[in-house]
Amino acid sequence: MSKRMAVVLAAGKGTRMKSSLYKVLHPVCGLPMVEHVIRAVKASQVEEIVTIIGHGAQQVKEVLGDASRYAMQEEQLGTGHAVLQAAELLADQEGQTLVICGDTPLFTAETLSELFAQHEARGAQATVLTAILADATGYGRIVRSAQDDVERIVEHKDATEEQRQIKEINTGTFVFDNQALFKALAKVTNQNAQGEYYLTDVIELIKADGGLVGAHVMADHLESLGVNDRRALSQANQIMSRRINQAHMVAGVSFMNPDTVYIETDVTIGPDTVIENGVLLKGKTSIGSSCYIGANTEIVDSQIADQVKITQSVIESSTVAEGATVGPFAHLRPKSYLGKDVHIGNFVEVKNSTIGQGTKSGHLTYIGDADLGEGINIGCGTIFVNYDGKRKFRSKVGDQAFIGCNANIVSPVEIGQRAFIAAGATITNDVPDEALAISRVEQSNISNYWQKFLNK
Ligand code: UD1
Ligand code: CA
């Protein structure tokens, strides 16, 4: 196998997106489109990638980092002109070069590998990846000879009425013999309907030079979807989302109705986990095996261990250990760590806190900036008062402490092991191990108050 290289076209602005974000940076299932492209290209054994950047060059570089080298296209004069910008980095090399657009996020490594393999097997100078579409409007058309050989590609705007009837289109993805490509590119002109230097013109030029030009028709044309506007973006998200969910199902994850579930590209899920409807799993999230993720749960950038049960809750940048239960209607804000078998129940919010094994907080509580030991019981309505209007403070609670309902723990305080906090207490001082802290006005009963009330 000769050396495989790739040129990724990503210099366009994407005017039809109507966005301040450059087109190729729009995310599909959590990853910028161009990153999907680079990943698929890398996985098809390409050794060297050059990305053509122009609009949003700095941002594209930041996203891709050293996954690619870069060539700047200052002015967008067409796809042919774009590829030509890679000449300095690639032109003298021997091997096969894939050209692909940064706005086609659905191509799989399998398809690109097939394209390379067919091109290499035939010893072709150019192989076009084509698709058959019911509605080919807007695409470049594949013009074939009577012997079915590819003659050339005609852009929609340059096509005759007759050519516009052709259903076979150029997906914008090609493999070229590298030197034949750059030799032909030097001869491309901009004498066409759009006044652009078309990459597609190299097909005819390579042919005229005696080169062998082939085509590979895609089995699943949806893979070639080019995202030019928000409608296509939502379509790409839908297709990618289905693909991701299918892969999880094949790997042993159960879904009630996968069409309602959104899982981003880099999320991992263990087998025998059940995902209910309306679940969103985003960013760098990992879910263990045999978990239950209840309806309408949203989990972002979090690590969930095995056998965790989450119902209707929101979890952000947090870690949940094995066997814990969360929800319904709980909110774990960033930097929450729940130990093994912890229970966080209805309307409990946790932030920047660690909660030790077996500790339970069942209802209506705020745990912010606290370190809780193991086996603690936190009564309903407890609040860790962590903020004085200017600064945040931390508190600590020892193992097996019992916090009565509606307590205010005014940070910073330390509550000892097996200490008791009476219901309704406001704790402003440390509580020693095994002590009971009460801080409330003693109850007094006024007799016969009903009569006094009537006489008022
Ligand atoms: C192109 C093809 C067309 C094909 C279609 C498939 C040409 C002339 N036409 O048309 O045959 O059917 O893709 O989607 O190649 N770009 C640059 N610099 C430029 C121009 C474009 O980097 O000067 C980049 C764009 O950012 C984009 C890609 O090249 O990622 C394709 O450009 P676009 O203008 O979308 O081409 P189409 O008109 O869709
Ligand atoms: Ca396009």
Side-chain angles (χ1 to χ4, degrees):
M1 195 172 87
S2 59
K3 185 179 177 184
R4 290 181 176 180
M5 296 162 272
V7 176
V8 177
L9 305 187
K13 180 157 181 277
T15 313
R16 285 168 285 173
M17 295 297 285
K18 309 250 166 68
S19 177
S20 57
L21 185 65
Y22 300 103
K23 180 162 81 173
V24 297
L25 296 180
H26 277 264
V28 168
C29 290
L31 274 195
M33 290 198 269
V34 68
E35 204 171 339
H36 282 288
V37 173
I38 297 279
R39 284 188 185 191
V41 168
K42 274 240 150 90
S44 58
Q45 291 153 307
V46 166
E47 290 171 49
E48 197 173 344
I49 303 176
V50 177
T51 301
I52 310 299
I53 50 176
H55 285 285
Q58 202 45 47
Q59 289 91 325
V60 176
K61 270 180 159 175
E62 269 162 32
V63 165
L64 299 180
D66 57 14
S68 173
R69 292 204 287 165
Y70 303 93
M72 189 71 185
Q73 187 191 23
E74 300 286 351
E75 247 190 306
Q76 281 67 58
L77 303 178
T79 51
H81 179 258
V83 177
L84 199 54
Q85 308 312 303
E88 208 173 300
L89 295 173
L90 294 184
D92 56 359
Q93 304 216 32
E94 272 182 37
Q96 310 308 317
T97 300
L98 170 75
V99 177
I100 187 167
C101 299
D103 63 355
T104 51
L106 300 178
F107 278 119
T108 60
E110 292 73 54
T111 297
L112 301 181
S113 300
E114 259 172 54
L115 177 65
F116 267 119
Q118 188 185 318
H119 173 85
E120 289 158 356
R122 285 194 69 189
Q125 271 62 58
T127 305
V128 196
L129 186 62
T130 73
I132 313 291
L133 299 190
D135 177 12
T137 310
Y139 286 98
R141 307 298 208 284
I142 307 297
V143 180
R144 287 179 182 262
S145 70
Q147 290 73 42
D148 220 27
D149 292 334
V150 176
E151 300 252 272
R152 62 175 184 283
I153 300 171
V154 182
E155 288 307 292
H156 182 91
K157 286 184 179 152
D158 299 288
T160 63
E161 257 321 303
E162 197 183 333
Q163 287 167 333
R164 284 183 183 178
Q165 303 310 310
I166 298 172
K167 300 291 179 222
E168 186 179 12
I169 61 107
N170 168 28
T171 64
T173 309
F174 309 79
V175 175
F176 296 101
D177 170 85
N178 187 64
Q179 296 190 350
L181 168 65
F182 285 100
K183 191 173 160 209
L185 271 178
K187 292 185 235 163
V188 170
T189 70
N190 62 353
Q191 304 303 305
N192 53 53
Q194 304 187 78
E196 287 183 6
Y197 296 87
Y198 291 162
L199 172 64
T200 44
D201 284 356
V202 303
I203 295 297
E204 215 177 340
L205 289 163
I206 287 174
K207 200 140 192 175
D209 216 26
L212 179 63
V213 174
H216 179 57
V217 187
M218 292 183 69
D220 174 11
H221 69 84
L222 285 177
E223 261 191 43
S224 71
L225 180 75
V227 174
N228 294 323
D229 63 21
R230 306 267 182 168
R231 292 170 302 177
L233 183 64
S234 75
Q235 218 184 332
N237 266 299
Q238 239 168 14
I239 294 168
M240 183 68 85
S241 179
R242 252 178 237 144
R243 198 187 278 175
I244 289 170
N245 294 353
Q246 293 284 342
H248 287 301
M249 285 184 261
V250 169
V253 179
S254 282
F255 290 71
M256 295 303 126
N257 181 354
D259 287 347
T260 68
V261 175
Y262 172 75
I263 301 178
E264 291 188 345
T265 310
D266 289 338
V267 172
T268 63
I269 310 176
D272 285 325
T273 284
V274 173
I275 313 269
E276 294 275 8
N277 294 354
V279 169
L280 310 175
L281 304 176
K282 299 181 179 174
K284 295 198 188 320
T285 289
S286 65
I287 312 262
S289 58
S290 303
C291 290
Y292 172 85
I293 313 294
N296 305 319
T297 291
E298 176 170 3
I299 305 177
V300 186
D301 293 331
S302 295
Q303 279 60 58
I304 313 294
D306 299 341
Q307 279 147 9
V308 169
K309 183 176 179 197
I310 300 167
T311 37
Q312 310 234 9
S313 294
V314 175
I315 301 181
E316 308 162 76
S317 304
S318 291
T319 303
V320 178
E322 202 179 309
T325 53
V326 178
F329 314 116
H331 186 184
L332 306 186
R333 289 171 53 207
K335 294 197 200 151
S336 296
Y337 173 82
L338 309 191
K340 240 179 129 202
D341 301 324
V342 161
H343 172 61
I344 296 296
N346 319 252
F347 306 104
V348 174
E349 174 179 340
V350 183
K351 186 213 81 175
N352 191 22
S353 294
T354 61
I355 301 187
Q357 180 170 347
T359 289
K360 294 182 168 49
S361 173
H363 343 260
L364 299 161
T365 287
Y366 175 57
I367 304 170
D369 301 315
D371 297 299
L372 312 190
E374 300 180 356
I376 297 166
N377 194 308
I378 301 197
C380 176
T382 295
I383 292 172
F384 283 77
V385 183
N386 62 329
Y387 185 49
D388 66 1
K390 277 198 170 150
R391 284 179 300 164
K392 301 273 172 73
F393 300 93
R394 280 193 92 77
S395 280
K396 210 169 161 179
V397 181
D399 296 345
Q400 282 131 42
F402 182 94
I403 316 276
C405 287
N406 207 33
N408 291 307
I409 316 292
V410 183
S411 298
V413 290
E414 258 192 74
I415 295 169
Q417 296 184 12
R418 291 180 293 281
F420 290 80
I421 306 297
T426 294
I427 302 301
T428 52
N429 296 314
D430 292 353
V431 179
D433 290 354
E434 304 189 5
L436 165 68
I438 308 186
S439 77
R440 60 191 180 212
V441 179
E442 218 173 302
Q443 179 175 337
S444 65
N445 294 340
I446 301 168
S447 321
N448 300 320
Y449 187 75
W450 175 245
Q451 271 312 319
K452 289 175 191 159
F453 175 74
L454 291 181
N455 297 340
K456 257 189 192 166

